[in-house]
Amino acid sequence: MDIKTTCCSYDCGGRCLLRIHLSKGKIIKITTDNRRGPGLMACIRGLCQKDVVYAQDRLKKPLKRIGERGEGKFEPISWDEAIDIVAGEIKRVRDRYGPHSVFLMDYYGNEGALNATQNAGRRFFSLLGGFTSWWGSTSLEAAQFASLVTLGTSSTGNSRDNLLHSRLIILWGWNPHVSRFGPDTVAYLSRAKKAGAKFICVDPRLSPSAKTLEAQWVPIRPGTDAAMLIAMAYVMIDNDLYNRSFIDAHTIGFESYKNYVTGKEDGLPKTPSWAESITGVPAATIEHLSKDYATIKPAVLWASWAPGRTAFGEQYHRAAITLAAMTGNIGIKGGNVTGGTGRVPLGYLKKRFPIPESDIATIHVSNVFDALIKGKSGGYPADIKLLYVLGCNLLNQFQNTNKGVTALKLPEFIVVHELFMTPTARYADIVLPVSHYFETEDIGQPWGGGPYFIHMDRILAPMAETKTDLEIFSEIASHFELSKFNEKSDAAWLKEFVEATPDLPGFEVFKRKGVHELNMEKPFVAFREQVENPEKNPFPTHSGKIEIYSKKLADLDKPLLPPIPMYIEPWEGPGDELAKRYPLQLVSPHAKSRVNSTFDNIPRLKRLADDRLWLNPIDAEGRGIKNGDSVRVFNDRGQLIAIVKVTDRIMPGVVSLDAGAWFRPDTDGLDHGGCVNVLTRDEKSPGGAFACNSCLVQVKLV
């Protein structure tokens, strides 16, 4: 029996240790970290990778479309023919329409240090002189915006052992039992619970994490979180509970925010009663939670990303950062910045795959379908003629899928690199089969940062005729005389990355160890130095302080991006006029058995998914719906069929359907796969948030 070490390289929230047990070159089983206590333990998704790498429906040969776009009819061709066609189309389109007519949609399918899906394509098209690509994270763009504007950096997180020192932990839109946020997070939360920390969950749903941790549940209407945070600030100001010394020493602009919160600016005090009418949270609950957060110290308010994926999500994140400052929980052991990205500046290689600068035009991920349809006439940088897709099931995962169907019929040529025939791959002209990460050597860097690195052994020889993205682009590059595109072996690249990283031992030592953990004498706490010695360690903002009032935003002079955190009523929220026709707010959490849409085709994991529509008993009764019924969920953008789970674990007026199920429409356009994005609106927030949780629907019995 041979045992090799690797980790998942998906955008899964983990980067967890996998030990692959092999006999005669075949995977027998997969295990994970077996140490007692918090470690690098994998979830079911990682432990099921044998089913993925050996899946019968893996793509094994290059495919050429022979039917209509989206029909799914292809014929196998040789690699030589496939590379010739792709290279020829790239040359034809660039020569005829210019470099920006090529759109590179490379996303997060693989996050290995060498084989990341944002490496090879970017290097290739950059060496050619330029291209069009995307901007905006579907996960955390609102948090990124708030972090940079308010704190001056996207590194705002603490190491998870810091949770052991917290007396109060508020899970705000945070479900780490599913979305992970590191392999050790749940273990530390459990230990904090055993040590006596009080847990509160603010969420439209009683999430699996909140249920397991026996948290007090505070249901809140989606898109209204900023209103509640602002009302909490009112309680602290009105009762003189905020940390004046911290505010005076480490922030600027608090007086402006205070004037807004108390109503001095606009005549409307942002009281708990004001917030109750917006959020659905009782005023007494808001007041009690405010006093708890102000007086129980140290405390963690973990304002996670999902509530920021709304129409004005950046206001929620900025309000959360401000509230953490008001309680003095920033930069201290047992506290938390909150509202930022939560990224920890640990576990990152100091050198990466080189991508030269070039002329890159960008389109926000919410506007990709619109840009494909309208091009220059819609104000976009180019008319897109060639779409090149890597590690991205955009038809399924970007908003307004039916609009995407129209968009993907328009480019002159589409090429997709994939493991499986996804809904997006069905629209390609050429599909190129890629290797699974078990079939490559690489390095795992912690998702979101953390105190370790994992060497990813090559577990298996590549299946059939699959190739890595880097191998594919190396072959395409030979058609363009780019002799310096890839001058090194994979091992040489990885050795270069390791040798440039002081936290790691030599490359061969690292390979033998498999896992290299950093020696942490105490928890890493973001902004500890800034708080303990502000004169020598200013915050990385223009003012050197936490900018509650942002001059940068003030200079923009955009009413929907105010200089202080404010509540702005969201479109497709509870107060939208559209709610008269579509009265239910839809949220779409991550599924425990998928990474976004990855694994929806894997039977073992599909059986573990909860792809039912969560519906409150009050909403079910009014529609004559019972548990297990089939329903049609619809709005003006699309419709889908779902099975209902009637449960009091979701508040009235809100429905929930896990994201990532594969789009499977019938001839009338009714989706039978449960793809939530047939319903979502393709409009970003003013700060760039992917506003998928601002979505109104109606539900009726089939």
Side-chain angles (χ1 to χ4, degrees), residues 174-194:
W174 190 35
N175 184 17
H177 280 74
V178 171
S179 54
R180 302 286 281 170
F181 278 79
D184 56 350
T185 301
V186 168
Y188 278 117
L189 286 168
S190 298
R191 285 192 167 193
K193 177 74 175 180
K194 291 177 182 177

Side-chain angles (χ1 to χ4, degrees), residues 505-516:
F507 183 57
E508 294 303 323
V509 174
F510 177 44
K511 284 182 67 172
R512 287 196 299 272
K513 289 182 67 175
V515 180
H516 179 74

